[in-house]
Amino acid sequence: MQDKNSESANKNPKKANLLDHHSIKHILDESVTEIVTSRGYVEDVRMSNIRLFLGTIIIVIALFAQFYKKKFPENRDFLILCIYIVFNGLLQLIIYTKEKNAILFTYPPADSFTSTGLVVSSQLPRFSDMYTLVIASADPKSISANQPVKFTKSVTQWFTKDGILVEGLFWKDVEALINEYQKEPKKSK
């Protein structure tokens, strides 16, 4: 496993613009996705597919409105009702309630006894160097769900002054968090 990690780091180092927190967060999130999927978790893309489907419906309605017999001022109510209120509201509701800060949804590993996958979320607030990574169960009400685990660390320990991600250090921190999540909870007497 370590050979694979160091091999990928030597082939294609990941570089970020250190003045752009979006660039830093994107590289870290991309690396987290690689780490989690390398541990046997398969990405669950159902939520993305639902969003794409709703987006396609919005585009079809917009095309219908474009080529409708009545031109813009007369079909304004139809456009406002269908596109902006109903479907965009539905998309925003899904993002707000289901996705939140999630960067990855997974199915449970094939060789696992648990029946839930993971939801991996991250935050890197603007004007801050503190990156928070949270691993939780995709179904927190399940009997096999573990307690969510998280860490908050400065991104300065994972990047060189040139903006290159030191993948070995980051992999070690994320794998430690995954191992902490996968630990069996201690049963109280």
Coordinates of all heavy atoms in Angstrom, one line a residue, residues 104-153:
L104 N -18.1 13.0 -0.4 CA -18.2 11.6 -0.8 C -19.2 10.8 0.0 O -19.3 10.9 1.2 CB -16.8 10.9 -0.6 CG -16.6 9.5 -1.0 CD1 -16.7 9.3 -2.5 CD2 -15.3 9.0 -0.5
F105 N -20.0 10.1 -0.8 CA -21.0 9.1 -0.2 C -20.5 7.7 -0.7 O -20.1 7.6 -1.9 CB -22.4 9.3 -0.7 CG -23.0 10.6 -0.3 CD1 -23.0 11.7 -1.0 CD2 -23.7 10.6 0.9 CE1 -23.6 12.9 -0.6 CE2 -24.3 11.8 1.4 CZ -24.3 12.9 0.6
T106 N -20.5 6.7 0.2 CA -20.0 5.4 -0.2 C -21.0 4.3 0.2 O -21.8 4.5 1.0 CB -18.6 5.1 0.4 OG1 -18.9 4.8 1.8 CG2 -17.6 6.1 0.2
Y107 N -20.8 3.2 -0.5 CA -21.5 2.0 -0.1 C -20.6 1.3 0.9 O -19.4 1.6 1.0 CB -21.7 1.0 -1.3 CG -22.6 1.5 -2.3 CD1 -22.2 2.0 -3.6 CD2 -24.0 1.5 -2.1 CE1 -23.1 2.4 -4.5 CE2 -24.9 2.0 -3.1 CZ -24.4 2.4 -4.3 OH -25.3 2.9 -5.2
P108 N -21.1 0.4 1.7 CA -20.2 -0.4 2.6 C -19.2 -1.3 1.8 O -19.6 -1.7 0.7 CB -21.1 -1.2 3.5 CG -22.4 -1.2 2.8 CD -22.5 0.0 1.9
P109 N -18.1 -1.5 2.4 CA -17.1 -2.4 1.7 C -17.8 -3.8 1.5 O -18.6 -4.3 2.3 CB -15.9 -2.5 2.6 CG -16.1 -1.4 3.6 CD -17.5 -1.0 3.6
A110 N -17.3 -4.5 0.5 CA -17.9 -5.8 0.2 C -17.6 -6.8 1.2 O -18.5 -7.7 1.5 CB -17.4 -6.3 -1.2
D111 N -16.5 -6.8 1.9 CA -16.1 -7.8 2.9 C -16.5 -7.3 4.3 O -16.0 -7.9 5.3 CB -14.6 -8.0 2.8 CG -13.8 -6.8 3.0 OD1 -14.3 -5.7 3.0 OD2 -12.6 -6.9 3.2
S112 N -17.3 -6.3 4.5 CA -17.7 -5.7 5.8 C -19.0 -6.3 6.3 O -19.9 -6.7 5.5 CB -17.8 -4.2 5.6 OG -18.3 -3.7 6.8
F113 N -19.1 -6.3 7.6 CA -20.4 -6.8 8.2 C -21.3 -5.6 8.4 O -22.5 -5.9 8.7 CB -20.1 -7.4 9.6 CG -19.3 -8.7 9.4 CD1 -18.0 -8.8 9.9 CD2 -19.9 -9.8 8.8 CE1 -17.3 -10.0 9.7 CE2 -19.2 -11.0 8.7 CZ -17.9 -11.1 9.2
T114 N -20.9 -4.4 8.2 CA -21.8 -3.3 8.4 C -22.7 -3.1 7.2 O -22.3 -3.5 6.1 CB -21.0 -2.0 8.6 OG1 -20.2 -1.7 7.4 CG2 -20.0 -2.0 9.8
S115 N -23.8 -2.5 7.5 CA -24.8 -2.3 6.4 C -24.9 -0.9 5.9 O -25.7 -0.6 5.2 CB -26.1 -2.8 6.9 OG -26.6 -2.0 8.0
T116 N -24.0 0.0 6.4 CA -24.0 1.4 6.0 C -22.7 1.8 5.4 O -21.6 1.3 5.7 CB -24.3 2.3 7.2 OG1 -23.2 2.2 8.1 CG2 -25.6 1.9 7.9
G117 N -22.8 2.7 4.5 CA -21.6 3.3 3.9 C -21.1 4.5 4.7 O -21.5 4.7 5.8
L118 N -20.3 5.3 4.1 CA -19.8 6.5 4.8 C -20.3 7.7 4.1 O -20.6 7.7 2.9 CB -18.2 6.5 4.7 CG -17.5 5.3 5.3 CD1 -16.0 5.5 5.1 CD2 -17.8 5.2 6.8
V119 N -20.3 8.8 4.9 CA -20.5 10.2 4.4 C -19.2 10.9 4.8 O -19.0 11.0 6.0 CB -21.7 10.9 4.9 CG1 -21.8 12.3 4.4 CG2 -23.0 10.1 4.5
V120 N -18.4 11.4 3.9 CA -17.2 12.1 4.2 C -17.5 13.6 3.9 O -17.8 13.9 2.8 CB -16.0 11.6 3.4 CG1 -14.7 12.3 3.8 CG2 -15.9 10.1 3.6
S121 N -17.3 14.4 4.9 CA -17.5 15.9 4.8 C -16.2 16.6 5.1 O -15.4 16.1 5.9 CB -18.6 16.4 5.7 OG -19.5 15.4 5.9
S122 N -16.1 17.8 4.5 CA -14.9 18.6 4.8 C -15.3 20.1 4.9 O -16.3 20.5 4.2 CB -13.8 18.4 3.8 OG -14.2 18.9 2.6
Q123 N -14.5 20.8 5.6 CA -14.7 22.3 5.6 C -13.3 22.9 5.7 O -12.4 22.4 6.3 CB -15.4 22.7 6.9 CG -16.9 22.4 6.9 CD -17.5 22.9 8.2 OE1 -16.9 23.0 9.2 NE2 -18.8 23.1 8.1
L124 N -13.2 24.0 4.9 CA -12.0 24.9 5.0 C -12.5 26.3 4.9 O -12.8 26.8 3.8 CB -11.0 24.6 3.9 CG -9.8 25.4 3.9 CD1 -8.9 25.2 5.1 CD2 -8.9 25.1 2.6
P125 N -12.8 26.9 6.1 CA -13.4 28.2 6.1 C -12.5 29.3 5.4 O -11.3 29.1 5.3 CB -13.6 28.6 7.5 CG -13.5 27.3 8.3 CD -12.6 26.4 7.4
R126 N -13.1 30.2 4.8 CA -12.4 31.3 4.1 C -11.5 32.0 5.1 O -11.9 32.2 6.3 CB -13.4 32.3 3.5 CG -12.8 33.2 2.5 CD -13.9 33.9 1.8 NE -13.2 34.8 0.8 CZ -13.8 35.7 0.2 NH1 -15.1 35.9 0.4 NH2 -13.2 36.4 -0.7
F127 N -10.3 32.4 4.7 CA -9.3 33.1 5.6 C -8.9 32.3 6.8 O -8.5 32.8 7.8 CB -9.9 34.5 6.0 CG -10.3 35.3 4.9 CD1 -11.6 35.8 4.9 CD2 -9.4 35.7 3.9 CE1 -12.0 36.6 3.8 CE2 -9.9 36.5 2.9 CZ -11.2 37.0 2.8
S128 N -9.0 31.0 6.7 CA -8.5 30.1 7.7 C -7.7 29.0 7.1 O -7.8 28.6 6.0 CB -9.7 29.5 8.4 OG -9.3 28.5 9.4
D129 N -6.7 28.5 7.9 CA -5.9 27.4 7.5 C -6.3 26.0 8.1 O -5.7 25.0 7.9 CB -4.4 27.6 7.7 CG -4.1 27.7 9.2 OD1 -5.0 28.0 10.0 OD2 -3.0 27.4 9.6
M130 N -7.4 26.1 8.9 CA -7.9 24.9 9.6 C -8.9 24.1 8.7 O -10.0 24.5 8.4 CB -8.5 25.3 10.9 CG -7.6 26.0 11.8 SD -6.0 25.2 12.1 CE -6.5 24.0 13.3
Y131 N -8.4 22.9 8.4 CA -9.2 21.9 7.5 C -9.9 20.9 8.5 O -9.2 20.3 9.3 CB -8.3 21.2 6.5 CG -8.9 20.3 5.6 CD1 -9.7 20.7 4.5 CD2 -8.8 18.9 5.8 CE1 -10.2 19.8 3.7 CE2 -9.4 18.0 4.9 CZ -10.1 18.4 3.9 OH -10.7 17.5 3.0
T132 N -11.2 20.8 8.4 CA -11.9 19.8 9.2 C -12.4 18.7 8.3 O -13.1 19.0 7.3 CB -13.1 20.5 9.9 OG1 -12.6 21.6 10.7 CG2 -13.9 19.5 10.8
L133 N -12.2 17.5 8.7 CA -12.6 16.3 8.0 C -13.5 15.5 8.9 O -13.1 15.2 10.0 CB -11.4 15.5 7.4 CG -11.8 14.3 6.6 CD1 -12.4 14.8 5.3 CD2 -10.5 13.5 6.3
V134 N -14.7 15.1 8.5 CA -15.6 14.4 9.3 C -16.0 13.1 8.5 O -16.3 13.1 7.3 CB -16.9 15.2 9.6 CG1 -17.9 14.3 10.4 CG2 -16.6 16.5 10.3
I135 N -15.9 11.9 9.2 CA -16.4 10.7 8.6 C -17.5 10.2 9.5 O -17.4 10.1 10.7 CB -15.3 9.6 8.6 CG1 -14.1 10.1 7.7 CG2 -15.8 8.3 8.1 CD1 -12.9 9.2 7.7
A136 N -18.7 10.0 8.8 CA -19.9 9.5 9.6 C -20.6 8.4 8.8 O -20.2 8.2 7.6 CB -20.8 10.7 9.7
S137 N -21.5 7.8 9.4 CA -22.3 6.8 8.7 C -23.3 7.4 7.8 O -23.9 8.4 8.0 CB -23.0 5.9 9.8 OG -23.9 5.0 9.2
A138 N -23.5 6.7 6.6 CA -24.5 7.2 5.7 C -25.9 7.0 6.2 O -26.8 7.7 5.8 CB -24.3 6.4 4.3
D139 N -26.1 6.1 7.1 CA -27.4 5.9 7.8 C -27.1 5.9 9.3 O -26.9 4.9 9.9 CB -28.0 4.6 7.4 CG -29.4 4.3 8.0 OD1 -29.9 5.3 8.5 OD2 -29.9 3.2 7.9
P140 N -27.2 7.1 9.9 CA -26.8 7.2 11.3 C -27.8 6.5 12.3 O -27.5 6.2 13.4 CB -26.9 8.7 11.6 CG -27.4 9.4 10.4 CD -27.4 8.4 9.3
K141 N -29.0 6.2 11.8 CA -30.0 5.5 12.6 C -29.8 4.0 12.6 O -30.5 3.3 13.3 CB -31.4 5.8 12.2 CG -31.7 7.3 12.4 CD -33.1 7.6 11.9 CE -33.3 9.1 12.0 NZ -34.6 9.6 11.4
S142 N -28.9 3.5 11.7 CA -28.7 2.0 11.6 C -28.0 1.5 12.9 O -27.2 2.2 13.6 CB -27.8 1.7 10.4 OG -27.4 0.4 10.4
I143 N -28.3 0.3 13.2 CA -27.7 -0.4 14.4 C -26.2 -0.6 14.2 O -25.4 -0.7 15.1 CB -28.4 -1.7 14.7 CG1 -28.1 -2.1 16.1 CG2 -28.1 -2.8 13.7 CD1 -29.0 -3.1 16.7
S144 N -25.8 -0.7 12.9 CA -24.3 -0.9 12.7 C -23.6 0.4 12.5 O -22.4 0.4 12.1 CB -24.2 -1.8 11.5 OG -24.7 -1.2 10.3
A145 N -24.2 1.5 12.7 CA -23.5 2.8 12.5 C -22.6 3.1 13.6 O -23.0 3.0 14.8 CB -24.6 3.9 12.3
N146 N -21.4 3.6 13.3 CA -20.5 4.0 14.4 C -20.7 5.5 14.6 O -21.3 6.2 13.8 CB -19.1 3.8 13.9 CG -18.7 2.3 13.9 OD1 -19.5 1.5 14.5 ND2 -17.6 2.0 13.3
Q147 N -20.1 6.0 15.7 CA -20.1 7.4 16.0 C -19.3 8.2 15.0 O -18.2 7.7 14.5 CB -19.6 7.7 17.4 CG -20.5 7.2 18.5 CD -21.8 7.9 18.5 OE1 -21.9 9.1 18.4 NE2 -22.9 7.1 18.7
P148 N -19.7 9.4 14.6 CA -18.9 10.2 13.6 C -17.5 10.5 14.3 O -17.5 10.7 15.5 CB -19.7 11.4 13.4 CG -21.1 11.1 13.8 CD -21.0 10.1 14.9
V149 N -16.5 10.6 13.5 CA -15.2 11.0 13.9 C -14.7 12.2 13.1 O -15.1 12.3 11.9 CB -14.2 9.9 13.9 CG1 -14.5 8.8 14.9 CG2 -14.0 9.3 12.5
K150 N -13.9 13.0 13.6 CA -13.4 14.2 12.9 C -12.0 14.6 13.4 O -11.7 14.3 14.5 CB -14.4 15.3 12.9 CG -14.5 16.1 14.2 CD -15.4 17.3 14.0 CE -15.4 18.2 15.2 NZ -16.2 19.4 15.0
F151 N -11.3 15.3 12.5 CA -10.1 16.0 13.0 C -10.1 17.4 12.3 O -10.7 17.6 11.3 CB -8.9 15.2 12.7 CG -8.4 15.1 11.2 CD1 -8.0 16.2 10.5 CD2 -8.4 13.9 10.6 CE1 -7.6 16.1 9.2 CE2 -8.0 13.8 9.3 CZ -7.6 14.9 8.6
T152 N -9.5 18.3 13.0 CA -9.3 19.6 12.5 C -7.8 19.9 12.6 O -7.2 19.9 13.7 CB -10.1 20.7 13.3 OG1 -11.5 20.3 13.2 CG2 -9.9 22.1 12.8
K153 N -7.2 20.2 11.5 CA -5.7 20.4 11.5 C -5.4 21.5 10.5 O -6.2 21.8 9.6 CB -4.9 19.2 11.1 CG -5.0 18.1 12.1 CD -4.1 16.9 11.8 CE -4.3 15.8 12.9 NZ -3.3 14.7 12.6

